[in-house]
Amino acid sequence: MRLPRDPAAQLIALVAAFALTRFAVLVAARARELYPFQDDPLDIAVFASWGAVFAGAPGEVPLRDGPWEYPAGAAAVVVAPALLRGAPYVLGFVGQMVLWDLALLLVLAGLGLRRGSLAGAWLWVAAVPLLGPVALSRFDVVPTALAVGGLAAAGGAPVLAGALLASGAVIKLWPALLLPLLLLHGGRVRVLVGAVAVGAFTLLVVGRYSGYAQLFSFLTYQRDRGLEVESLPALPLMLARAYGDERMRVGFGFGSYQVDGPWAPAMLLVGTLGLGAVLLAVAVLAWRARRSDPGQALPVLAVLLMAGVLVFDKVLSAQYPLWLAGLVCLSLCRPDSPLRASVAPLAGLLVLTQLVYPLSIQTLTLTTRPGPVLLLAARDLLLLVVLVVAARAAWQLGSEQRVGADEHRGEHRHRRGAGDEHEVVSAVALGEAGQRPDDREQHEVDPRQGQQRPAGPHEQQRQDDAGPGVEPVRRPRP
């Protein structure tokens, strides 16, 4: 989608489409005909209970009285709706998510207007309704907005970029994986200054209100989780279960459905090795593209990294594809984005994710019908397509950089050769201009004697330069 002739009109259309789609998502979440097997797609009772105790209600306070599954910064997101006196928690929570959602849209629209394409902004307008109510009933839109903002600010405001990515990381850990990408594209010290400032502030707040005993408890929580039924490493177990293998068992734990069985340890190992391979591959490709345009390279590498994480991680909750959608949208703010081919598989990935959760989650976990598992397999296939598209684009970044360097060296050699030729021509011209009259008569035939005069030193040099087989120029003698 190219830059419109009237940017103001296009921005108005974006905001209007945003308002209509978000309203439709929230209305649909209450329609029992659309979500018959889900008690309430906007059920966030667990967030409400945490928010209440963070705000001062009696009860066990996460991070102070026990471990918590999220980094400490997530407490600010959870407690904010509880501080709105007189308003239902769900209204405050969803309203907060819509505001972050709108902020991300405005960032994408602003970048698109400057860089020449609003395709990223329009894709984001579509992404949330394609994913469904889970996009607004979880707080993953917050770190997504912060990560996109951080990458967008990398070129002109590295301190802000580091601060935004660190802010996302203290809410959900994944934006921290993007920080090393910024360090490869200049402004390293300033990026670290912003990130360290946010980290230090978080430590001060946590130390003041809860102490540090449970600060990293979320890492232990994530380590102890099993294979979530929606993750790609769990797919072989879910397929075996759907087709009659009773050794594969599904249970509820750690806030989600998990599958266990004889293959589970092997698939957990495959996932761990795969994550290591993804990190190594992204590091190599980032090094190859280190001299590329950061506005082009950073979103591509970020999409590759997060697509790899989603493919191999043992947890792939329904809201996680939102991370990928935000990063793809950032790349599409340029008309020459190499990730245009990922739009269709990403849209299909979002739709199938909603079909799996919440629409088929009960059938997937409580029965052995193959239908929901096949939906899950199709969703995973589209995720792999996005990964391949991003890997190809990242490889081309380094290849184009090398081709550009080779062309530059070739142009330099051409200019140098042209300069040498110019020096030879100039030397010949100067030699002819400075020769003596008797030299000009050399290699000429004396008509009276019929003999050729011997060549003088200047003419002999010119004949040597001309090479063998080249006859010297003879002028008739007056």
Side-chain angles (χ1 to χ4, degrees):
M1 184 176 299
R2 296 287 181 178
L3 184 67
R5 292 184 177 180
D6 186 359
Q10 190 70 19
L11 185 59
I12 292 173
L14 277 170
V15 175
F18 173 89
L20 288 174
T21 54
R22 275 45 178 182
F23 179 76
V25 168
L26 295 176
V27 171
R30 298 297 185 184
R32 307 311 305 162
E33 296 79 11
L34 295 178
Y35 298 98
F37 301 113
Q38 187 78 4
D39 293 336
D40 185 356
L42 297 179
D43 182 16
I44 49 178
V46 64
F47 292 154
S49 63
W50 287 334
V53 295
F54 276 130
E60 181 177 315
V61 179
L63 294 176
R64 188 192 69 186
D65 302 326
W68 200 32
E69 62 185 274
Y70 297 113
V77 179
V78 171
V79 74
L83 299 178
L84 298 175
R85 302 301 179 186
Y89 185 88
V90 63
L91 181 62
F93 186 91
V94 173
Q96 180 185 194
M97 295 307 109
V98 171
L99 288 177
W100 281 102
D101 184 10
L102 178 60
L104 177 51
L105 174 66
L106 295 178
V107 168
L108 294 170
L111 283 175
L113 290 174
R114 291 199 303 270
R115 296 178 177 177
S117 174
L118 287 171
W122 281 110
L123 179 59
W124 182 254
V125 169
V128 168
L130 291 178
L131 187 60
V134 71
L136 300 176
S137 61
R138 305 293 186 269
F139 57 80
D140 291 74
V141 68
V142 180
T144 301
L146 292 170
V148 170
L151 294 178
V159 175
L160 178 62
L164 289 175
L165 283 180
S167 298
V170 299
I171 296 172
K172 281 251 177 139
L173 188 59
W174 67 267
L177 297 175
L178 306 180
L179 270 172
L181 297 180
L182 294 188
L183 301 181
L184 281 175
H185 287 275
R188 298 175 179 84
V189 174
R190 287 175 290 175
V191 168
L192 290 176
V193 166
V196 169
V198 171
F201 177 77
T202 303
L203 289 175
L204 288 174
V205 173
V206 171
R208 170 67 177 81
Y209 287 99
S210 64
Y212 302 116
Q214 304 294 338
L215 180 61
F216 297 105
S217 58
F218 69 95
L219 295 176
T220 304
Y221 182 93
Q222 299 301 328
R223 181 200 64 193
D224 294 339
R225 297 183 73 163
L227 280 175
E228 192 176 64
V229 296
E230 297 164 81
S231 68
L232 195 145
L235 182 60
L237 284 77
M238 296 300 293
L239 286 170
R241 176 177 176 269
Y243 286 96
D245 192 337
E246 297 181 353
R247 298 175 300 168
M248 309 303 172
R249 302 176 303 277
V250 171
F252 190 83
F254 293 88
S256 64
Y257 288 101
Q258 301 181 129
V259 60
D260 195 11
W263 304 348
M267 295 311 300
L268 287 170
L269 178 60
V270 168
T272 301
L273 295 177
L275 286 173
V278 166
L279 294 176
L280 179 60
V282 172
V284 171
L285 292 171
W287 181 257
R288 290 182 78 245
R290 65 190 181 279
R291 293 188 179 90
S292 301
D293 178 10
Q296 183 85 291
L298 285 176
V300 171
L301 294 169
V303 169
L304 174 60
L305 177 58
M306 295 319 303
V309 169
L310 295 186
V311 164
F312 289 105
D313 196 8
K314 62 183 178 180
V315 178
L316 206 176
S317 298
Q319 68 272 19
Y320 288 7
L322 204 64
W323 312 348
L324 200 57
L327 297 174
V328 171
C329 290
L330 177 61
S331 176
L332 294 177
C333 290
R334 298 173 63 107
D336 58 345
S337 169
L339 294 181
R340 293 189 297 273
S342 69
V343 173
L346 176 64
L349 162 66
L350 295 173
V351 171
L352 289 176
T353 299
Q354 181 174 187
L355 291 179
V356 172
Y357 182 91
L359 291 174
S360 301
I361 191 64
Q362 301 292 342
T363 307
L364 178 68
T365 56
L366 300 180
T367 74
T368 57
R369 296 176 189 172
V373 181
L374 295 178
L375 284 176
L376 196 61
R379 190 280 310 268
D380 292 344
L381 179 62
L382 291 177
L383 178 58
L384 288 171
V385 172
V386 175
L387 176 65
V388 171
V389 171
R392 181 174 180 270
W395 179 262
Q396 288 176 340
L397 287 174
S399 300
E400 291 171 358
Q401 175 182 312
R402 290 171 181 268
V403 169
D406 291 341
E407 291 177 351
H408 177 74
R409 286 193 294 268
E411 183 180 356
H412 177 70
R413 286 195 296 267
H414 174 72
R415 290 178 178 176
R416 184 177 179 181
D420 293 342
E421 181 181 353
H422 176 71
E423 291 175 3
V424 171
V425 172
S426 299
V428 171
L430 289 174
E432 291 182 351
Q435 62 186 350
R436 296 189 300 275
D438 56 343
D439 291 337
R440 288 195 298 269
E441 296 175 357
Q442 298 169 14
H443 288 291
E444 297 176 357
V445 177
D446 188 340
R448 293 173 293 182
Q449 300 179 1
Q451 298 178 352
Q452 182 175 347
R453 295 174 181 268
H458 293 283
E459 188 64 22
Q460 182 66 43
Q461 180 64 39
R462 287 196 297 274
Q463 183 174 352
D464 293 341
D465 292 339
V470 179
E471 293 294 330
V473 179
R474 295 180 173 87
R475 298 184 180 89
R477 187 173 182 178

